[in-house]
Amino acid sequence: MPTISQRGEQMPASPIRKLVPFAEAAKKKGVKVYHLNIGQPDIETPQPVLDAVRHSDFKILEYSHSAGNESYRRKLTGYYKKFDVEVNHNQIIVTTGGSEAILFGFMACLDPGDEVIIPEPFYANYNGFAVAANVHVKPITSSIETGFALPPIEQFEQLITPKTKAILICNPNNPTGYLYSREEMEVLKQLCLKYNLFLFSDEAYREFCYTGKHISAMNLEGMENNVILMDTISKRYSACGGRIGALVTKNQQVLDAVMKFAQARLSPPSFAQIAGEAAVDLPDDYFDDIKAEYQSRRDILVSLLNKIPGVYCPNPGGAFYAMAKLPIDDADKFCQWILESFSYEQQTVMVSPATGFYATPGLGKNEIRLAYVLNKEDIRHAMTCLEKALEIYPGRIN
Amino acid sequence: MPTISQRGEQMPASPIRKLVPFAEAAKKKGVKVYHLNIGQPDIETPQPVLDAVRHSDFKILEYSHSAGNESYRRKLTGYYKKFDVEVNHNQIIVTTGGSEAILFGFMACLDPGDEVIIPEPFYANYNGFAVAANVHVKPITSSIETGFALPPIEQFEQLITPKTKAILICNPNNPTGYLYSREEMEVLKQLCLKYNLFLFSDEAYREFCYTGKHISAMNLEGMENNVILMDTISKRYSACGGRIGALVTKNQQVLDAVMKFAQARLSPPSFAQIAGEAAVDLPDDYFDDIKAEYQSRRDILVSLLNKIPGVYCPNPGGAFYAMAKLPIDDADKFCQWILESFSYEQQTVMVSPATGFYATPGLGKNEIRLAYVLNKEDIRHAMTCLEKALEIYPGRIN
């Protein structure tokens, strides 16, 4: 029997989804499970976005242009302009979700053995794309004590080797919710220019900033050839299943290379490109309500978490995630236990152990990530479950 | 300025699409271009398939299961059963087009430096996925003189090294239209069992067989752990833009590994999964008309080609492609010339130079691929253009 590849063996299993069987078992026992474990918003996809697909009248579901429909890319230039990002439609390659933008960026810029520095904790799937592309992730640890601020420049410099080709940030951050300041963005710029590095910037949560203004990496002057923006409509318009994202850069060599990867896979999904195009036409105030909703959820979640004895949660500046430190021995054990062996009034909560978001072994063992993608009442119930669980969890420390 | 990766440089540009600017220029001059260059069928997507999406009534465009919706996978088991392929829904992973099935297969089974043997000419994008996965394609040449039959087993054996991990076939074949016989499939089985190789089987054109019966690699007894089926709804239901395919195998280790790649990219497109599920419910006679249409197009195309002095086209057994040998110096030059410098009654034809389908340098220089994805009248006009063009092409030989 032929054996699978080492790459296939090394590929990490999703840390977010591995608890699913325990959640399913809890539900079978009649326990209601509040899902704060995954970034699937409960907010409805805007009706005009769904209607654009449902009212489409083409006869043949054809391949689109490998870079995505030109009409969509032209509209996207208007979208980016609202954030003072000036790009033309040839600098945008529509991808199959933000996922493919990350993979294409890695493939086009990094060779096997190359290194990319990523502040940890980070979105766990970056590991997966790194394994797929045979590149090495070099984590630089940000700490819950500083609210996950960017580590000092000296720490970055200590990690840089001749193999280092890029820094990857997610801003605002998944899983920490941290929003990088202008000063921090300038530090990244300094580093990239000094060491000739690409800056991969995942800005999936651009619209969801509650404390301060979002500084896009695309707006860093003099970084036109360094910055590669990885984007997606998934969270922005509650359209995760569409699988539409984009890679945006002014670096022509990168565009040319990415275009070849895009041609090999033929085209991004046609139906969801229609949805994406309609989404650009949503009125500007569309985000006002959504943002207000997420912000009020954040406020309740963070405030309730910090009221639980022994729990600490820094206030996230953006996205819809929060990281919390719990008085526990092992987050993986706890997250399984709360599904498997606990319920309060026939309810429990599913959260993500933070270990999966750290690349450095041993880190995150007393932290969890919570996605505030449920309504406020559900968040309250979930926090009650968490508080009650921590009172009786056998692995509680201090 | 940071430089792109070697992988990005090595990535081949699409040989099919590189002539596009010349076709666009011809159209701007008012010349009608018959597109026989790309496998985009002109046949309408079945109405129930499009209606399933248009009449969908969900409120949130959510991520699906990373392996695809269970309801769809369960239905697909019924689809495969019609071809005597017995699989359960956990042996099917829904992918973003056949493209992703190929990439996942390569990633999960092959490491950088590993070799995969592919009969050439072959679907050019296999090269792209090989570069993306850093694996080496070892071509084994099939010849237009034998109608592109499988090369003899001894030739395969000469190519096998300790690095050889797999053989990849496309059956029926793109670009040759060749349909592998039971005897040839048995040869492949012998080779894979003797040398412990994976058999990647791209069966995108399964339904389109005109001469003889399709033998799925999934039906080769004793090959359960070797065979990985790469599939797609694109051609079958004229649904190329949906980007829905599948990787199917009984090898549990491969399934587990592929599942991790699938989780990293979260999910296949949701809209088109609805389309795919509706397509499984089409009546069995759906393919009768389509197949009859393609077969009659093939008959006309091949007959007209063989009537042109100096042209030879073997009769393809399946798919909707034909390869033809022309009395020309250089297919790349010719395919550009016929767009750029030729027209007959304000019409011309776009075909693919065969060089892009061969990995061995120098092969295919006097061959072109024609996709018979236009109606019979258009095919007749296109063949008239080709005939007239060959009469005056400056690089004509003999």
Side-chain angles (χ1 to χ4, degrees):
Chain A
M1 169 169 152
T3 52
I4 63 163
S5 63
Q6 290 174 38
R7 171 162 49 199
E9 271 170 25
Q10 287 159 5
M11 189 73 185
S14 164
I16 306 180
R17 297 192 180 209
K18 71 185 172 188
L19 293 167
V20 169
F22 298 103
E24 284 169 1
K27 286 175 200 169
K28 275 199 183 139
K29 286 190 292 180
V31 173
K32 177 168 176 59
V33 178
Y34 294 104
H35 283 276
L36 299 180
N37 59 298
I38 191 166
Q40 169 60 61
D42 65 328
I43 288 174
E44 289 186 5
T45 313
Q47 200 60 44
V49 171
L50 296 174
D51 282 350
V53 175
R54 289 171 181 156
H55 300 162
S56 64
D57 63 355
F58 59 82
K59 298 279 188 193
I60 306 178
L61 182 58
E62 291 181 310
Y63 291 122
S64 73
H65 191 291
S66 293
N69 292 326
E70 187 174 322
S71 56
Y72 179 36
R73 285 180 288 132
R74 285 189 182 276
K75 270 202 185 156
L76 279 175
T77 63
Y79 165 80
Y80 287 114
K81 210 176 159 67
K82 291 181 192 167
F83 300 89
D84 300 320
V85 174
E86 301 276 351
V87 285
N88 68 53
H89 71 282
N90 290 317
Q91 294 168 328
I92 299 170
I93 293 175
V94 177
T95 56
T96 307
S99 302
E100 194 179 62
I102 298 164
L103 185 66
F104 282 175
F106 281 10
M107 290 276 180
C109 299
L110 309 175
D111 276 309
D114 283 349
E115 296 168 2
V116 52
I117 298 176
I118 316 182
E120 68 177 352
F122 58 77
Y123 177 56
N125 286 325
Y126 296 150
N127 278 322
F129 299 118
V131 171
N134 286 90
V135 303
H136 297 309
V137 171
K138 293 281 165 178
I140 180 165
T141 308
S142 68
S143 153
I144 197 166
E145 274 74 33
T146 63
F148 300 104
L150 197 73
I153 191 164
E154 301 76 31
Q155 282 184 33
F156 275 94
E157 292 191 306
Q158 281 166 18
L159 284 176
I160 291 172
T161 76
K163 285 283 187 193
T164 309
K165 295 287 161 60
I167 296 172
L168 166 56
I169 58 163
C170 178
N171 183 31
N173 193 276
N174 172 11
T176 67
Y178 189 78
L179 178 64
Y180 291 106
S181 67
R182 175 160 288 286
E183 292 68 32
E184 288 170 317
M185 294 304 288
E186 290 294 331
V187 165
L188 291 167
K189 171 178 159 179
Q190 265 184 57
L191 279 166
C192 290
L193 292 180
K194 181 171 176 188
Y195 295 97
N196 207 24
L197 306 177
F198 287 109
L199 179 60
F200 296 130
S201 187
D202 178 343
E203 303 183 6
Y205 303 90
R206 182 180 298 115
E207 276 80 2
F208 307 130
C209 297
Y210 319 113
T211 321
K213 185 175 153 31
H214 181 255
I215 312 293
S216 172
M218 291 296 288
N219 286 335
L220 295 173
E221 245 179 83
M223 286 277 281
E224 290 72 15
N225 282 317
N226 300 73
V227 170
I228 294 158
L229 174 65
M230 288 138 166
D231 215 340
T232 171
I233 68 165
S234 292
K235 316 294 170 158
R236 190 165 296 150
Y237 308 111
S238 217
C240 299
R243 311 314 297 130
I244 289 295
L247 182 145
V248 186
T249 181
K250 296 186 178 185
N251 183 317
Q252 190 59 45
Q253 287 188 336
V254 173
L255 284 169
D256 291 345
V258 169
M259 196 54 206
K260 294 187 285 182
F261 289 96
Q263 285 178 342
R265 63 71 163 119
L266 303 170
S267 68
S270 292
F271 280 122
Q273 283 188 75
I274 298 171
E277 193 166 329
V280 181
D281 288 335
L282 288 170
D284 284 351
D285 63 2
Y286 163 72
F287 289 109
D288 295 347
D289 290 349
I290 311 284
K291 205 172 121 175
E293 172 65 21
Y294 279 130
Q295 185 160 355
S296 64
R297 290 177 181 186
R298 177 198 70 156
D299 293 344
I300 284 169
L301 179 87
V302 173
S303 134
L304 290 176
L305 279 168
N306 282 316
K307 277 182 191 152
I308 302 175
V311 173
Y312 171 62
C313 175
N315 200 25
F320 42 64
Y321 303 100
M323 292 279 283
K325 194 164 125 182
L326 308 185
I328 54 173
D329 57 342
D330 184 313
D332 288 84
K333 274 192 212 162
F334 175 75
C335 294
Q336 181 176 332
W337 174 87
I338 200 171
L339 290 168
E340 200 178 19
S341 310
F342 170 86
S343 71
Y344 173 74
E345 295 181 347
Q346 284 293 93
Q347 301 177 30
T348 192
V349 59
M350 186 170 179
V351 293
S352 299
T355 45
F357 303 108
Y358 286 89
T360 304
L363 293 188
K365 284 192 80 167
N366 60 347
E367 295 171 14
I368 58 167
R369 185 194 73 171
L370 306 100
Y372 40 98
V373 291
L374 300 184
N375 65 52
K376 289 184 280 279
E377 199 189 328
D378 284 353
I379 288 177
R380 282 180 205 281
H381 288 304
M383 291 305 99
T384 304
C385 290
L386 187 66
E387 180 169 11
K388 298 290 178 191
L390 284 170
E391 285 171 9
I392 59 164
Y393 174 58
R396 182 178 174 110
I397 51 171
N398 75 37
Chain B
M1 171 169 151
T3 52
I4 63 163
S5 62
Q6 291 174 39
R7 169 162 50 198
E9 272 170 24
Q10 287 160 5
M11 190 73 185
S14 163
I16 306 180
R17 296 193 179 207
K18 71 184 171 188
L19 293 167
V20 169
F22 298 103
E24 283 168 2
K27 286 176 200 168
K28 275 197 183 139
K29 287 191 290 179
V31 173
K32 178 167 175 60
V33 178
Y34 294 104
H35 283 275
L36 298 180
N37 59 299
I38 190 165
Q40 169 59 61
D42 65 328
I43 287 173
E44 289 186 5
T45 313
Q47 200 59 45
V49 171
L50 296 174
D51 282 350
V53 175
R54 289 171 180 157
H55 300 162
S56 64
D57 63 357
F58 58 82
K59 298 280 189 195
I60 307 178
L61 182 57
E62 291 180 310
Y63 291 121
S64 74
H65 191 291
S66 293
N69 291 326
E70 187 174 322
S71 57
Y72 179 35
R73 286 180 288 132
R74 285 190 182 275
K75 268 200 185 157
L76 278 174
T77 63
Y79 164 80
Y80 286 115
K81 209 176 159 70
K82 290 181 192 168
F83 301 89
D84 299 320
V85 173
E86 301 277 350
V87 286
N88 68 52
H89 71 283
N90 290 318
Q91 293 168 328
I92 299 170
I93 293 175
V94 178
T95 56
T96 307
S99 302
E100 194 179 61
I102 298 163
L103 185 66
F104 282 175
F106 281 11
M107 290 276 181
C109 299
L110 308 175
D111 276 308
D114 282 350
E115 296 169 2
V116 52
I117 298 175
I118 315 182
E120 68 177 353
F122 58 78
Y123 176 56
N125 286 324
Y126 296 150
N127 278 322
F129 299 117
V131 171
N134 286 90
V135 303
H136 298 308
V137 171
K138 293 282 166 180
I140 181 166
T141 308
S142 68
S143 154
I144 197 166
E145 274 73 33
T146 63
F148 301 103
L150 196 74
I153 191 164
E154 300 77 30
Q155 282 184 34
F156 276 93
E157 291 192 305
Q158 280 165 19
L159 285 176
I160 291 172
T161 76
K163 284 285 187 192
T164 309
K165 295 287 161 62
I167 296 171
L168 166 56
I169 59 165
C170 178
N171 184 30
N173 193 276
N174 172 10
T176 67
Y178 190 78
L179 178 64
Y180 292 107
S181 67
R182 175 161 289 286
E183 292 69 31
E184 288 170 316
M185 294 304 290
E186 290 294 330
V187 165
L188 291 167
K189 171 178 160 178
Q190 265 184 57
L191 278 165
C192 291
L193 292 179
K194 181 171 174 188
Y195 295 97
N196 207 24
L197 307 177
F198 287 109
L199 179 60
F200 297 130
S201 187
D202 178 345
E203 303 183 6
Y205 303 91
R206 182 181 300 115
E207 275 81 2
F208 308 130
C209 296
Y210 319 113
T211 321
K213 186 176 153 30
H214 181 256
I215 311 293
S216 173
M218 292 295 289
N219 286 334
L220 295 173
E221 243 178 87
M223 286 278 279
E224 290 71 15
N225 283 317
N226 301 73
V227 170
I228 294 157
L229 174 64
M230 287 137 167
D231 215 341
T232 172
I233 68 165
S234 291
K235 317 293 171 161
R236 190 166 298 150
Y237 307 112
S238 217
C240 299
R243 313 313 297 132
I244 289 295
L247 183 146
V248 186
T249 181
K250 297 186 178 184
N251 183 317
Q252 190 60 44
Q253 287 188 334
V254 173
L255 285 168
D256 291 345
V258 169
M259 197 55 205
K260 293 187 286 182
F261 289 95
Q263 285 178 342
R265 62 74 163 120
L266 304 169
S267 68
S270 292
F271 280 122
Q273 283 188 75
I274 297 171
E277 191 166 331
V280 182
D281 288 335
L282 288 170
D284 284 351
D285 63 3
Y286 163 73
F287 289 108
D288 294 347
D289 291 347
I290 311 284
K291 205 172 122 175
E293 173 64 22
Y294 279 130
Q295 184 159 359
S296 64
R297 291 176 180 187
R298 177 198 70 156
D299 292 344
I300 285 169
L301 180 88
V302 173
S303 131
L304 290 175
L305 279 168
N306 283 316
K307 276 182 192 152
I308 303 175
V311 173
Y312 171 62
C313 176
N315 200 24
F320 41 65
Y321 304 100
M323 291 281 281
K325 194 163 125 182
L326 307 185
I328 54 171
D329 57 342
D330 185 313
D332 288 83
K333 275 192 212 161
F334 175 75
C335 294
Q336 183 177 331
W337 174 88
I338 200 171
L339 291 169
E340 200 178 18
S341 311
F342 169 87
S343 71
Y344 174 74
E345 296 181 345
Q346 284 293 92
Q347 300 177 29
T348 192
V349 59
M350 186 169 178
V351 293
S352 299
T355 46
F357 303 109
Y358 287 88
T360 304
L363 292 187
K365 284 192 80 167
N366 61 348
E367 294 172 13
I368 58 168
R369 186 195 73 171
L370 307 99
Y372 40 99
V373 291
L374 300 183
N375 64 53
K376 289 184 281 276
E377 202 189 325
D378 285 353
I379 287 177
R380 282 181 204 279
H381 289 303
M383 289 307 98
T384 303
C385 289
L386 187 66
E387 180 168 12
K388 298 289 179 191
L390 284 170
E391 284 171 9
I392 60 164
Y393 173 58
R396 183 179 173 109
I397 52 172
N398 76 34

